[in-house]
Amino acid sequence: MQILDEAASLTRWGLTHALPRVGIQAGARRGDLQARLIMSTAGDGGAPEDAELPLELFEEVRSRGPLHKGAFSYVTATHATVKEVLGSPGVHAGVDFGAGGLLGPVQRWADRSTPIGPLTPPSLLAVEPPEHTRYRKLVTRVFSVKAVRGLQERTQDIADQLLDDLAADAGDTVDLVDRYCALLPVTVIAEILGVPHEDRLKVLEFGEGAAPSLDIGLPLGRFRAVERSLRSFERWLDDHIAAVRRNPGDDLLSQLVLAQDDDGVQLDEVELKATAGLVLAAGFETTVNLLGNGIALLQRHPEQLAALREQPDLWSRAVDEVLRYDPPVLLTGRTVVADTVLGGRDVPQGSVVTTLLAAANRDPEVFADPDRFDVTRENADQHVSFSSGRHYCLGAALARMEGEVGLRTIFERYPGLTLAPGARRRTTRILRGYATLPARLSR
Ligand code: HEM
């Protein structure tokens, strides 16, 4: 059994990473636009600290029309078409390059031992109605906007505590990702889900290990490390859910365990693990980037920080502008399940479409002077950094609140904060943020 599982895992790597990797590298050598686009994001070689978004490539995609047929998939960099694709009923979550073709049976065999992950059914991100509607309703029920509003005070306390802890190091160089940007959202989501305080660092470690699971073209060693992290996370979730069942509290996971849909049916064990695991991981893997990107951007634009000091009520708009300008999730993919028209062109069933969220956020049709970072921008909240349509981020209200509390508080407490050399971007392709952000704090 173990040998078969091992063979399935290697086949999965071959189909989802090795083959596309060869194609992408060959395409990049030929100068193919989509291959250059994929290679321009960090990937396994890591990215320099000042890695900028590939704005010229975004522009080139847009110049080829609302929906460009790339070497690997259709691609769109246009705000209107990104929204059209993500809202279309005939376009489903997930990227399925081979399942409909000759490799379909091989792929299905290889998927037999796939660990539970963000892009694997029954994860919300990988299913469609009616399952999607059922899961989403159950989670929304225990994750209401009202509940999020009630969390603001606690989020403020957590931010204050983390910044108090940093006071002892004032004058020294500290890594803000490690000591603040990661700990704030993981502490908040851990409390929401009833995860014991002492398990936070373990959960952060699983998240960090599993983050590249969203990427394609991983080298074998990295793919194996990702699957190991996903399996450890699953084992930890088993134990945590069992503990919650024995001793339910008033946290969201306890409510999710007991929640029933309209027909009185509860989530089964796998559905529960996939849903709780996604909410937990999505709850910090992206918000850490919002905080890190925001601190770096505001440091690089002191006049914008000065505007926020003058007019603190601009903070919520500033958070949306950070999300628009330097989004934590660069893109997402979809598969067309019935022949359809997108961006004014016929797109056959089975096609994959890549929606470049980061590029749509720079569409001059929607955002005036889109490459200017401007915390007073009135329509900043029209960004698509939380996606759009059925899979619109369930945690958007929470992320915005954490972003506002987290960014405002650090700059209020340490107005003399300056970045130190040595910042490094994360090596993930789809998630974009800082791996380390060294800074010196002073009041
Ligand atoms: C700045 C922070 C965040 C960003 C940029 C972000 C971004 C996204 C994006 C782009 C998607 C949709 C992906 C797609 O369409 O394929 C998504 C979905 C999701 N997000 Fe977030 N997210 C953030 C924070 C959070 C938080 C704090 C939570 C915790 C509750 C969360 C939970 C989810 C869930 C459960 C989904 C799946 C929704 C569905 O498929 O119906 N996210 N997020």
Side-chain angles (χ1 to χ4, degrees):
M1 200 60 181
Q2 214 179 339
I3 293 178
L4 277 183
D5 285 349
E6 179 65 18
S9 164
L10 264 179
T11 312
R12 267 199 306 284
W13 171 72
L15 291 177
T16 30
H17 296 287
L19 277 178
R21 193 180 168 84
V22 171
I24 292 162
Q25 284 168 345
R29 278 195 296 275
R30 282 196 314 273
D32 174 77
L33 173 57
Q34 193 177 12
R36 282 190 287 139
L37 197 57
I38 297 170
M39 298 294 279
S40 70
T41 49
D44 41 278
E49 64 177 280
D50 57 352
E52 294 302 336
L53 289 170
L55 297 182
E56 283 167 17
L57 294 176
F58 290 171
E59 201 43 56
E60 209 177 321
V61 176
R62 220 175 356 249
S63 74
R64 298 192 184 185
L67 192 72
H68 164 64
K69 191 169 188 324
F72 310 99
S73 72
Y74 287 87
V75 194
T76 174
T78 306
H79 192 272
T81 308
V82 164
K83 293 196 75 155
E84 183 191 352
V85 171
L86 295 172
S88 168
V91 180
H92 281 191
V95 168
D96 201 344
F97 280 108
L102 286 178
L103 292 173
V106 183
Q107 177 85 59
R108 279 189 287 283
W109 176 80
D111 284 344
R112 48 181 270 145
S113 61
T114 309
I116 285 182
L119 301 184
T120 317
S123 158
L124 266 168
L125 278 174
V127 294
E128 287 294 340
E131 290 87 355
H132 179 262
T133 320
R134 175 173 172 247
Y135 303 148
R136 181 131 182 159
K137 226 169 162 185
L138 280 172
V139 187
T140 312
R141 209 171 273 177
V142 292
F143 214 90
S144 67
V145 172
K146 192 165 149 246
V148 169
R149 239 181 264 134
L151 290 165
Q152 178 149 356
E153 216 172 289
R154 179 67 193 128
T155 305
Q156 184 68 58
D157 289 346
I158 295 167
D160 286 335
Q161 181 63 53
L162 292 171
L163 293 169
D164 283 348
D165 295 347
L166 283 177
D169 300 294
D172 293 336
T173 302
V174 292
D175 177 9
L176 292 181
V177 171
D178 227 20
R179 302 279 302 273
Y180 186 64
C181 305
L183 285 178
L184 178 62
V186 80
T187 307
V188 173
I189 197 74
E191 289 193 4
I192 292 174
L193 283 165
V195 173
H197 194 73
E198 60 277 14
D199 279 2
R200 277 177 324 160
L201 296 183
K202 209 185 289 174
V203 166
L204 267 182
E205 219 175 279
F206 297 143
E208 186 57 30
S213 63
L214 302 179
D215 295 340
I216 57 163
L218 296 178
L220 183 58
R222 199 134 197 250
F223 169 80
R224 284 192 191 281
V226 165
E227 291 218 331
R228 267 198 308 277
S229 290
L230 288 173
R231 284 189 212 288
S232 311
F233 188 35
E234 193 177 332
R235 278 195 297 274
W236 176 85
L237 273 171
D238 278 331
D239 293 345
H240 181 51
I241 290 172
V244 166
R245 278 195 199 284
R246 279 194 305 272
N247 203 358
D250 55 6
D251 56 87
L252 292 189
L253 186 61
S254 302
Q255 293 176 50
L256 205 53
V257 165
L258 300 170
Q260 297 182 345
D261 64 19
D262 295 340
D263 300 322
V265 180
Q266 294 187 335
L267 293 177
D268 69 25
E269 206 61 22
V270 175
E271 291 169 332
L272 197 54
K273 265 194 287 191
T275 309
L278 177 69
V279 171
L280 179 52
F284 63 87
E285 268 305 311
T286 44
T287 313
V288 55
N289 300 345
L290 163 61
L291 293 173
N293 296 352
I295 292 172
L297 265 175
L298 288 166
Q299 272 296 301
R300 269 193 267 130
H301 295 85
E303 77 295 347
Q304 301 292 317
L305 199 50
L308 288 163
R309 288 201 171 111
E310 291 244 311
Q311 261 183 285
D313 56 330
L314 283 178
W315 268 110
S316 77
R317 200 173 281 178
V319 168
D320 274 308
E321 180 66 350
V322 170
L323 286 162
R324 181 192 76 84
Y325 194 88
D326 199 4
V329 182
L330 289 186
L331 57 90
T332 184
R334 293 288 190 268
T335 299
V336 173
V337 295
D339 292 355
T340 185
V341 176
L342 296 167
R345 72 186 282 174
D346 292 328
V347 183
Q349 177 188 356
S351 306
V352 171
V353 185
T354 304
T355 54
L356 298 172
L357 306 176
N361 288 349
R362 303 293 187 108
D363 187 340
E365 288 286 318
V366 178
F367 303 104
D369 198 359
D371 299 334
R372 187 163 47 88
F373 176 63
D374 177 4
V375 298
T376 67
R377 187 183 290 279
E378 285 187 3
N379 69 345
D381 63 354
Q382 284 186 37
H383 64 72
V384 286
S385 299
F386 291 123
S387 192
S388 183
R390 302 182 291 289
H391 293 274
Y392 180 79
C393 178
L394 197 87
L398 176 63
R400 281 190 164 112
M401 183 273 281
E402 288 178 313
E404 185 174 341
V405 169
L407 291 174
R408 182 181 38 72
T409 310
I410 193 168
F411 284 110
E412 274 174 10
R413 291 280 300 271
Y414 296 103
L417 183 159
T418 48
L419 293 184
R424 238 180 340 101
R425 287 279 184 180
R426 298 175 77 172
T427 56
T428 41
R429 283 188 201 281
I430 290 183
L431 297 180
R432 177 176 156 90
Y434 284 90
T436 52
L437 197 56
R440 262 185 286 280
L441 303 172
S442 61
R443 289 178 194 268

